[in-house]
PDB file of all heavy atoms in Angstrom:
ATOM      1  N   ALA A   1     107.527  91.653  48.353  1.00 79.00           N
ATOM      2  CA  ALA A   1     107.692  90.513  47.376  1.00 79.00           C
ATOM      3  C   ALA A   1     108.226  89.249  48.074  1.00 79.00           C
ATOM      4  O   ALA A   1     109.074  89.379  48.985  1.00 79.00           O
ATOM      5  CB  ALA A   1     108.674  90.992  46.278  1.00 79.00           C
ATOM      6  N   PRO A   2     107.906  88.074  47.550  1.00 88.00           N
ATOM      7  CA  PRO A   2     108.474  86.900  48.072  1.00 88.00           C
ATOM      8  C   PRO A   2     109.987  86.873  47.902  1.00 88.00           C
ATOM      9  O   PRO A   2     110.536  87.439  46.923  1.00 88.00           O
ATOM     10  CB  PRO A   2     107.796  85.779  47.229  1.00 88.00           C
ATOM     11  CG  PRO A   2     106.775  86.381  46.376  1.00 88.00           C
ATOM     12  CD  PRO A   2     106.976  87.863  46.442  1.00 88.00           C
ATOM     13  N   GLY A   3     110.693  86.334  48.801  1.00 90.00           N
ATOM     14  CA  GLY A   3     112.185  86.160  48.780  1.00 90.00           C
ATOM     15  C   GLY A   3     112.891  87.434  49.297  1.00 90.00           C
ATOM     16  O   GLY A   3     114.105  87.590  49.208  1.00 90.00           O
ATOM     17  N   GLN A   4     112.080  88.401  49.802  1.00 93.00           N
ATOM     18  CA  GLN A   4     112.750  89.623  50.385  1.00 93.00           C
ATOM     19  C   GLN A   4     112.729  89.589  51.917  1.00 93.00           C
ATOM     20  O   GLN A   4     111.795  89.177  52.553  1.00 93.00           O
ATOM     21  CB  GLN A   4     112.021  90.909  49.865  1.00 93.00           C
ATOM     22  CG  GLN A   4     112.210  91.261  48.411  1.00 93.00           C
ATOM     23  CD  GLN A   4     111.750  92.619  47.947  1.00 93.00           C
ATOM     24  OE1 GLN A   4     110.993  93.264  48.790  1.00 93.00           O
ATOM     25  NE2 GLN A   4     112.024  92.992  46.734  1.00 93.00           N
ATOM     26  N   TYR A   5     113.782  90.040  52.482  1.00 95.00           N
ATOM     27  CA  TYR A   5     113.899  89.992  53.934  1.00 95.00           C
ATOM     28  C   TYR A   5     114.386  91.332  54.397  1.00 95.00           C
ATOM     29  O   TYR A   5     115.076  92.037  53.601  1.00 95.00           O
ATOM     30  CB  TYR A   5     114.998  88.902  54.289  1.00 95.00           C
ATOM     31  CG  TYR A   5     114.521  87.502  53.991  1.00 95.00           C
ATOM     32  CD1 TYR A   5     114.741  87.001  52.693  1.00 95.00           C
ATOM     33  CD2 TYR A   5     113.727  86.825  54.831  1.00 95.00           C
ATOM     34  CE1 TYR A   5     114.229  85.731  52.343  1.00 95.00           C
ATOM     35  CE2 TYR A   5     113.226  85.571  54.488  1.00 95.00           C
ATOM     36  CZ  TYR A   5     113.531  85.015  53.213  1.00 95.00           C
ATOM     37  OH  TYR A   5     112.983  83.774  52.925  1.00 95.00           O
ATOM     38  N   ARG A   6     114.018  91.671  55.526  1.00 95.00           N
ATOM     39  CA  ARG A   6     114.413  93.004  56.155  1.00 95.00           C
ATOM     40  C   ARG A   6     115.245  92.745  57.347  1.00 95.00           C
ATOM     41  O   ARG A   6     115.030  91.869  58.168  1.00 95.00           O
ATOM     42  CB  ARG A   6     113.222  93.831  56.405  1.00 95.00           C
ATOM     43  CG  ARG A   6     112.372  93.361  57.473  1.00 95.00           C
ATOM     44  CD  ARG A   6     111.220  94.269  57.721  1.00 95.00           C
ATOM     45  NE  ARG A   6     110.244  93.665  58.608  1.00 95.00           N
ATOM     46  CZ  ARG A   6     109.103  94.102  58.948  1.00 95.00           C
ATOM     47  NH1 ARG A   6     108.647  95.172  58.347  1.00 95.00           N
ATOM     48  NH2 ARG A   6     108.336  93.404  59.702  1.00 95.00           N
ATOM     49  N   LEU A   7     116.213  93.596  57.552  1.00 94.00           N
ATOM     50  CA  LEU A   7     117.051  93.689  58.702  1.00 94.00           C
ATOM     51  C   LEU A   7     116.707  94.935  59.415  1.00 94.00           C
ATOM     52  O   LEU A   7     116.958  96.091  58.800  1.00 94.00           O
ATOM     53  CB  LEU A   7     118.553  93.621  58.366  1.00 94.00           C
ATOM     54  CG  LEU A   7     119.548  93.584  59.422  1.00 94.00           C
ATOM     55  CD1 LEU A   7     119.453  92.378  60.298  1.00 94.00           C
ATOM     56  CD2 LEU A   7     120.942  93.742  58.841  1.00 94.00           C
ATOM     57  N   VAL A   8     116.234  94.973  60.563  1.00 96.00           N
ATOM     58  CA  VAL A   8     115.814  96.248  61.222  1.00 96.00           C
ATOM     59  C   VAL A   8     116.739  96.501  62.453  1.00 96.00           C
ATOM     60  O   VAL A   8     116.949  95.582  63.287  1.00 96.00           O
ATOM     61  CB  VAL A   8     114.309  96.092  61.835  1.00 96.00           C
ATOM     62  CG1 VAL A   8     113.954  97.354  62.514  1.00 96.00           C
ATOM     63  CG2 VAL A   8     113.345  95.735  60.773  1.00 96.00           C
ATOM     64  N   LEU A   9     117.352  97.634  62.411  1.00 96.00           N
ATOM     65  CA  LEU A   9     118.301  98.063  63.379  1.00 96.00           C
ATOM     66  C   LEU A   9     117.591  99.125  64.191  1.00 96.00           C
ATOM     67  O   LEU A   9     117.434 100.224  63.712  1.00 96.00           O
ATOM     68  CB  LEU A   9     119.618  98.460  62.723  1.00 96.00           C
ATOM     69  CG  LEU A   9     120.219  97.495  61.823  1.00 96.00           C
ATOM     70  CD1 LEU A   9     121.080  98.213  60.836  1.00 96.00           C
ATOM     71  CD2 LEU A   9     121.086  96.515  62.609  1.00 96.00           C
ATOM     72  N   SER A  10     117.459  98.909  65.548  1.00 97.00           N
ATOM     73  CA  SER A  10     116.855  99.929  66.441  1.00 97.00           C
ATOM     74  C   SER A  10     118.056 100.545  67.264  1.00 97.00           C
ATOM     75  O   SER A  10     118.950  99.803  67.520  1.00 97.00           O
ATOM     76  CB  SER A  10     115.805  99.266  67.283  1.00 97.00           C
ATOM     77  OG  SER A  10     114.805  98.603  66.567  1.00 97.00           O
ATOM     78  N   ASN A  11     117.828 101.780  67.645  1.00 96.00           N
ATOM     79  CA  ASN A  11     118.759 102.518  68.429  1.00 96.00           C
ATOM     80  C   ASN A  11     120.206 102.387  67.828  1.00 96.00           C
ATOM     81  O   ASN A  11     121.244 102.231  68.462  1.00 96.00           O
ATOM     82  CB  ASN A  11     118.852 101.940  69.822  1.00 96.00           C
ATOM     83  CG  ASN A  11     117.487 101.970  70.468  1.00 96.00           C
ATOM     84  OD1 ASN A  11     116.834 102.972  70.477  1.00 96.00           O
ATOM     85  ND2 ASN A  11     117.052 100.796  71.035  1.00 96.00           N
ATOM     86  N   TYR A  12     120.270 102.487  66.528  1.00 95.00           N
ATOM     87  CA  TYR A  12     121.494 102.322  65.771  1.00 95.00           C
ATOM     88  C   TYR A  12     122.493 103.437  65.914  1.00 95.00           C
ATOM     89  O   TYR A  12     123.675 103.297  66.286  1.00 95.00           O
ATOM     90  CB  TYR A  12     121.150 102.129  64.322  1.00 95.00           C
ATOM     91  CG  TYR A  12     122.329 101.843  63.406  1.00 95.00           C
ATOM     92  CD1 TYR A  12     123.160 100.730  63.475  1.00 95.00           C
ATOM     93  CD2 TYR A  12     122.757 102.776  62.497  1.00 95.00           C
ATOM     94  CE1 TYR A  12     124.219 100.553  62.666  1.00 95.00           C
ATOM     95  CE2 TYR A  12     123.868 102.619  61.571  1.00 95.00           C
ATOM     96  CZ  TYR A  12     124.587 101.516  61.764  1.00 95.00           C
ATOM     97  OH  TYR A  12     125.617 101.254  61.004  1.00 95.00           O
ATOM     98  N   VAL A  13     122.050 104.650  65.678  1.00 95.00           N
ATOM     99  CA  VAL A  13     122.798 105.883  65.913  1.00 95.00           C
ATOM    100  C   VAL A  13     122.331 106.639  67.176  1.00 95.00           C
ATOM    101  O   VAL A  13     123.166 107.100  67.962  1.00 95.00           O
ATOM    102  CB  VAL A  13     122.886 106.797  64.677  1.00 95.00           C
ATOM    103  CG1 VAL A  13     123.595 108.166  65.008  1.00 95.00           C
ATOM    104  CG2 VAL A  13     123.523 106.146  63.474  1.00 95.00           C
ATOM    105  N   LYS A  14     121.090 106.739  67.239  1.00 96.00           N
ATOM    106  CA  LYS A  14     120.423 107.525  68.331  1.00 96.00           C
ATOM    107  C   LYS A  14     119.380 106.704  69.122  1.00 96.00           C
ATOM    108  O   LYS A  14     118.696 105.866  68.401  1.00 96.00           O
ATOM    109  CB  LYS A  14     119.765 108.812  67.772  1.00 96.00           C
ATOM    110  CG  LYS A  14     120.781 109.668  67.217  1.00 96.00           C
ATOM    111  CD  LYS A  14     120.081 111.016  66.707  1.00 96.00           C
ATOM    112  CE  LYS A  14     121.139 112.010  66.146  1.00 96.00           C
ATOM    113  NZ  LYS A  14     120.585 113.385  66.195  1.00 96.00           N
ATOM    114  N   PRO A  15     119.062 106.943  70.343  1.00 96.00           N
ATOM    115  CA  PRO A  15     118.022 106.242  71.009  1.00 96.00           C
ATOM    116  C   PRO A  15     116.711 106.486  70.296  1.00 96.00           C
ATOM    117  O   PRO A  15     116.349 107.561  70.038  1.00 96.00           O
ATOM    118  CB  PRO A  15     117.951 106.909  72.372  1.00 96.00           C
ATOM    119  CG  PRO A  15     119.407 107.474  72.631  1.00 96.00           C
ATOM    120  CD  PRO A  15     119.796 107.895  71.190  1.00 96.00           C
ATOM    121  N   GLY A  16     115.954 105.329  69.965  1.00 96.00           N
ATOM    122  CA  GLY A  16     114.720 105.403  69.398  1.00 96.00           C
ATOM    123  C   GLY A  16     114.732 105.559  67.854  1.00 96.00           C
ATOM    124  O   GLY A  16     113.692 105.552  67.330  1.00 96.00           O
ATOM    125  N   ASP A  17     115.883 105.525  67.159  1.00 97.00           N
ATOM    126  CA  ASP A  17     115.917 105.512  65.814  1.00 97.00           C
ATOM    127  C   ASP A  17     115.745 104.087  65.307  1.00 97.00           C
ATOM    128  O   ASP A  17     115.704 103.096  65.975  1.00 97.00           O
ATOM    129  CB  ASP A  17     117.167 106.198  65.282  1.00 97.00           C
ATOM    130  CG  ASP A  17     118.448 105.291  65.513  1.00 97.00           C
ATOM    131  OD1 ASP A  17     118.331 104.242  66.094  1.00 97.00           O
ATOM    132  OD2 ASP A  17     119.510 105.760  65.060  1.00 97.00           O
ATOM    133  N   LYS A  18     115.570 104.037  63.942  1.00 97.00           N
ATOM    134  CA  LYS A  18     115.399 102.811  63.278  1.00 97.00           C
ATOM    135  C   LYS A  18     115.862 102.894  61.912  1.00 97.00           C
ATOM    136  O   LYS A  18     115.502 103.741  61.203  1.00 97.00           O
ATOM    137  CB  LYS A  18     113.837 102.350  63.281  1.00 97.00           C
ATOM    138  CG  LYS A  18     113.631 100.913  62.822  1.00 97.00           C
ATOM    139  CD  LYS A  18     112.195 100.531  63.065  1.00 97.00           C
ATOM    140  CE  LYS A  18     111.919 100.393  64.503  1.00 97.00           C
ATOM    141  NZ  LYS A  18     110.615  99.806  64.788  1.00 97.00           N
ATOM    142  N   MET A  19     116.653 101.881  61.525  1.00 97.00           N
ATOM    143  CA  MET A  19     117.122 101.746  60.067  1.00 97.00           C
ATOM    144  C   MET A  19     116.753 100.356  59.594  1.00 97.00           C
ATOM    145  O   MET A  19     117.053  99.435  60.362  1.00 97.00           O
ATOM    146  CB  MET A  19     118.656 101.916  59.989  1.00 97.00           C
ATOM    147  CG  MET A  19     119.040 101.871  58.544  1.00 97.00           C
ATOM    148  SD  MET A  19     120.710 102.366  58.177  1.00 97.00           S
ATOM    149  CE  MET A  19     121.673 101.212  59.086  1.00 97.00           C
ATOM    150  N   THR A  20     116.127 100.321  58.481  1.00 96.00           N
ATOM    151  CA  THR A  20     115.653  99.048  57.853  1.00 96.00           C
ATOM    152  C   THR A  20     116.296  98.796  56.565  1.00 96.00           C
ATOM    153  O   THR A  20     116.249  99.779  55.641  1.00 96.00           O
ATOM    154  CB  THR A  20     114.189  98.981  57.713  1.00 96.00           C
ATOM    155  OG1 THR A  20     113.538  99.147  58.959  1.00 96.00           O
ATOM    156  CG2 THR A  20     113.658  97.686  57.272  1.00 96.00           C
ATOM    157  N   LEU A  21     116.923  97.654  56.428  1.00 94.00           N
ATOM    158  CA  LEU A  21     117.583  97.285  55.249  1.00 94.00           C
ATOM    159  C   LEU A  21     116.738  96.140  54.543  1.00 94.00           C
ATOM    160  O   LEU A  21     116.549  95.171  55.247  1.00 94.00           O
ATOM    161  CB  LEU A  21     119.032  96.816  55.350  1.00 94.00           C
ATOM    162  CG  LEU A  21     119.918  97.827  56.068  1.00 94.00           C
ATOM    163  CD1 LEU A  21     121.217  97.125  56.497  1.00 94.00           C
ATOM    164  CD2 LEU A  21     120.196  99.067  55.272  1.00 94.00           C
ATOM    165  N   VAL A  22     116.341  96.205  53.347  1.00 95.00           N
ATOM    166  CA  VAL A  22     115.552  95.198  52.681  1.00 95.00           C
ATOM    167  C   VAL A  22     116.454  94.515  51.565  1.00 95.00           C
ATOM    168  O   VAL A  22     116.970  95.291  50.695  1.00 95.00           O
ATOM    169  CB  VAL A  22     114.261  95.749  52.076  1.00 95.00           C
ATOM    170  CG1 VAL A  22     113.514  94.616  51.361  1.00 95.00           C
ATOM    171  CG2 VAL A  22     113.412  96.411  53.173  1.00 95.00           C
ATOM    172  N   PHE A  23     116.626  93.214  51.712  1.00 93.00           N
ATOM    173  CA  PHE A  23     117.426  92.493  50.775  1.00 93.00           C
ATOM    174  C   PHE A  23     116.576  91.537  49.944  1.00 93.00           C
ATOM    175  O   PHE A  23     115.474  90.997  50.432  1.00 93.00           O
ATOM    176  CB  PHE A  23     118.394  91.630  51.532  1.00 93.00           C
ATOM    177  CG  PHE A  23     119.415  92.473  52.234  1.00 93.00           C
ATOM    178  CD1 PHE A  23     119.162  92.717  53.661  1.00 93.00           C
ATOM    179  CD2 PHE A  23     120.573  92.959  51.713  1.00 93.00           C
ATOM    180  CE1 PHE A  23     120.072  93.550  54.322  1.00 93.00           C
ATOM    181  CE2 PHE A  23     121.477  93.615  52.477  1.00 93.00           C
ATOM    182  CZ  PHE A  23     121.204  93.935  53.739  1.00 93.00           C
ATOM    183  N   ASP A  24     116.889  91.271  48.692  1.00 90.00           N
ATOM    184  CA  ASP A  24     116.220  90.306  47.836  1.00 90.00           C
ATOM    185  C   ASP A  24     117.166  89.159  47.782  1.00 90.00           C
ATOM    186  O   ASP A  24     118.298  89.197  47.317  1.00 90.00           O
ATOM    187  CB  ASP A  24     115.947  90.880  46.389  1.00 90.00           C
ATOM    188  CG  ASP A  24     115.116  89.943  45.611  1.00 90.00           C
ATOM    189  OD1 ASP A  24     115.688  88.937  45.221  1.00 90.00           O
ATOM    190  OD2 ASP A  24     113.924  90.228  45.439  1.00 90.00           O
ATOM    191  N   LYS A  25     116.662  87.929  48.298  1.00 90.00           N
ATOM    192  CA  LYS A  25     117.498  86.768  48.315  1.00 90.00           C
ATOM    193  C   LYS A  25     117.855  86.252  46.944  1.00 90.00           C
ATOM    194  O   LYS A  25     119.082  85.922  46.682  1.00 90.00           O
ATOM    195  CB  LYS A  25     116.681  85.717  49.093  1.00 90.00           C
ATOM    196  CG  LYS A  25     117.495  84.456  49.350  1.00 90.00           C
ATOM    197  CD  LYS A  25     116.747  83.483  50.156  1.00 90.00           C
ATOM    198  CE  LYS A  25     117.553  82.083  50.345  1.00 90.00           C
ATOM    199  NZ  LYS A  25     116.727  81.154  51.115  1.00 90.00           N
ATOM    200  N   GLU A  26     116.959  86.228  46.005  1.00 87.00           N
ATOM    201  CA  GLU A  26     117.227  85.751  44.662  1.00 87.00           C
ATOM    202  C   GLU A  26     118.217  86.581  43.920  1.00 87.00           C
ATOM    203  O   GLU A  26     119.182  86.182  43.323  1.00 87.00           O
ATOM    204  CB  GLU A  26     116.027  85.634  43.821  1.00 87.00           C
ATOM    205  CG  GLU A  26     116.116  85.055  42.456  1.00 87.00           C
ATOM    206  CD  GLU A  26     114.878  84.968  41.753  1.00 87.00           C
ATOM    207  OE1 GLU A  26     113.788  84.491  42.379  1.00 87.00           O
ATOM    208  OE2 GLU A  26     114.809  85.274  40.475  1.00 87.00           O
ATOM    209  N   GLN A  27     118.016  87.951  44.039  1.00 83.00           N
ATOM    210  CA  GLN A  27     118.970  88.897  43.403  1.00 83.00           C
ATOM    211  C   GLN A  27     120.252  89.066  44.125  1.00 83.00           C
ATOM    212  O   GLN A  27     121.233  89.602  43.577  1.00 83.00           O
ATOM    213  CB  GLN A  27     118.325  90.261  43.205  1.00 83.00           C
ATOM    214  CG  GLN A  27     117.090  90.277  42.386  1.00 83.00           C
ATOM    215  CD  GLN A  27     116.486  91.758  42.413  1.00 83.00           C
ATOM    216  OE1 GLN A  27     117.124  92.648  42.743  1.00 83.00           O
ATOM    217  NE2 GLN A  27     115.248  91.872  42.000  1.00 83.00           N
ATOM    218  N   LYS A  28     120.276  88.652  45.356  1.00 86.00           N
ATOM    219  CA  LYS A  28     121.465  88.803  46.319  1.00 86.00           C
ATOM    220  C   LYS A  28     121.760  90.308  46.280  1.00 86.00           C
ATOM    221  O   LYS A  28     122.955  90.711  46.124  1.00 86.00           O
ATOM    222  CB  LYS A  28     122.634  87.945  45.878  1.00 86.00           C
ATOM    223  CG  LYS A  28     122.334  86.506  46.019  1.00 86.00           C
ATOM    224  CD  LYS A  28     123.415  85.631  45.696  1.00 86.00           C
ATOM    225  CE  LYS A  28     122.934  84.158  45.772  1.00 86.00           C
ATOM    226  NZ  LYS A  28     124.043  83.328  45.233  1.00 86.00           N
ATOM    227  N   ALA A  29     120.758  91.072  46.522  1.00 88.00           N
ATOM    228  CA  ALA A  29     120.992  92.631  46.444  1.00 88.00           C
ATOM    229  C   ALA A  29     120.157  93.336  47.407  1.00 88.00           C
ATOM    230  O   ALA A  29     119.100  92.974  47.824  1.00 88.00           O
ATOM    231  CB  ALA A  29     120.684  93.065  44.948  1.00 88.00           C
ATOM    232  N   LEU A  30     120.622  94.426  47.768  1.00 90.00           N
ATOM    233  CA  LEU A  30     119.891  95.441  48.600  1.00 90.00           C
ATOM    234  C   LEU A  30     118.883  96.205  47.702  1.00 90.00           C
ATOM    235  O   LEU A  30     119.233  96.602  46.613  1.00 90.00           O
ATOM    236  CB  LEU A  30     120.929  96.483  49.193  1.00 90.00           C
ATOM    237  CG  LEU A  30     120.361  97.543  50.094  1.00 90.00           C
ATOM    238  CD1 LEU A  30     119.781  96.900  51.408  1.00 90.00           C
ATOM    239  CD2 LEU A  30     121.420  98.551  50.437  1.00 90.00           C
ATOM    240  N   VAL A  31     117.629  96.082  48.191  1.00 91.00           N
ATOM    241  CA  VAL A  31     116.525  96.709  47.389  1.00 91.00           C
ATOM    242  C   VAL A  31     115.914  97.931  47.993  1.00 91.00           C
ATOM    243  O   VAL A  31     115.258  98.663  47.340  1.00 91.00           O
ATOM    244  CB  VAL A  31     115.461  95.688  46.974  1.00 91.00           C
ATOM    245  CG1 VAL A  31     116.001  94.637  46.121  1.00 91.00           C
ATOM    246  CG2 VAL A  31     114.758  95.198  48.142  1.00 91.00           C
ATOM    247  N   GLY A  32     116.267  98.207  49.271  1.00 93.00           N
ATOM    248  CA  GLY A  32     115.674  99.321  49.894  1.00 93.00           C
ATOM    249  C   GLY A  32     116.326  99.627  51.332  1.00 93.00           C
ATOM    250  O   GLY A  32     116.786  98.691  51.960  1.00 93.00           O
ATOM    251  N   VAL A  33     116.219 100.919  51.647  1.00 95.00           N
ATOM    252  CA  VAL A  33     116.741 101.389  52.984  1.00 95.00           C
ATOM    253  C   VAL A  33     115.778 102.377  53.478  1.00 95.00           C
ATOM    254  O   VAL A  33     115.407 103.268  52.684  1.00 95.00           O
ATOM    255  CB  VAL A  33     118.121 101.951  52.910  1.00 95.00           C
ATOM    256  CG1 VAL A  33     118.544 102.454  54.323  1.00 95.00           C
ATOM    257  CG2 VAL A  33     119.180 100.953  52.402  1.00 95.00           C
ATOM    258  N   THR A  34     115.303 102.250  54.741  1.00 96.00           N
ATOM    259  CA  THR A  34     114.523 103.357  55.290  1.00 96.00           C
ATOM    260  C   THR A  34     115.240 103.711  56.634  1.00 96.00           C
ATOM    261  O   THR A  34     115.707 102.857  57.337  1.00 96.00           O
ATOM    262  CB  THR A  34     113.068 102.967  55.559  1.00 96.00           C
ATOM    263  OG1 THR A  34     112.957 101.854  56.410  1.00 96.00           O
ATOM    264  CG2 THR A  34     112.289 102.674  54.246  1.00 96.00           C
ATOM    265  N   ILE A  35     115.217 104.943  56.938  1.00 97.00           N
ATOM    266  CA  ILE A  35     115.706 105.510  58.137  1.00 97.00           C
ATOM    267  C   ILE A  35     114.691 106.380  58.808  1.00 97.00           C
ATOM    268  O   ILE A  35     114.125 107.264  58.192  1.00 97.00           O
ATOM    269  CB  ILE A  35     117.008 106.317  57.920  1.00 97.00           C
ATOM    270  CG1 ILE A  35     118.060 105.474  57.221  1.00 97.00           C
ATOM    271  CG2 ILE A  35     117.521 106.901  59.260  1.00 97.00           C
ATOM    272  CD1 ILE A  35     119.212 106.249  56.671  1.00 97.00           C
ATOM    273  N   ALA A  36     114.488 106.162  60.103  1.00 98.00           N
ATOM    274  CA  ALA A  36     113.574 106.972  60.881  1.00 98.00           C
ATOM    275  C   ALA A  36     114.444 107.480  62.045  1.00 98.00           C
ATOM    276  O   ALA A  36     114.843 106.681  62.933  1.00 98.00           O
ATOM    277  CB  ALA A  36     112.337 106.150  61.379  1.00 98.00           C
ATOM    278  N   SER A  37     114.717 108.696  62.046  1.00 98.00           N
ATOM    279  CA  SER A  37     115.686 109.232  63.022  1.00 98.00           C
ATOM    280  C   SER A  37     115.285 110.712  63.356  1.00 98.00           C
ATOM    281  O   SER A  37     114.163 111.066  63.032  1.00 98.00           O
ATOM    282  CB  SER A  37     117.115 109.232  62.568  1.00 98.00           C
ATOM    283  OG  SER A  37     118.056 109.557  63.596  1.00 98.00           O
TER     284      SER A  37
END
């Protein structure tokens, strides 16, 4: 959706992992989290 931004963290807890946080700028809220570990 327009106005949504993601923050992708690689190697956050373990080598090769990825955590993605999706924020909605208009709502000023977290709308999703994905973790691949």
Side-chain angles (χ1 to χ4, degrees):
Q4 289 190 351
Y5 295 88
R6 67 179 170 190
L7 180 67
V8 181
L9 305 155
S10 301
N11 304 310
Y12 180 68
V13 172
K14 297 182 176 202
D17 71 356
K18 190 175 288 189
M19 179 168 67
T20 303
L21 307 168
V22 179
F23 298 92
D24 187 288
K25 185 177 177 182
E26 183 180 316
Q27 295 177 21
K28 297 181 183 173
L30 182 64
V31 295
V33 175
T34 58
I35 300 167
S37 189

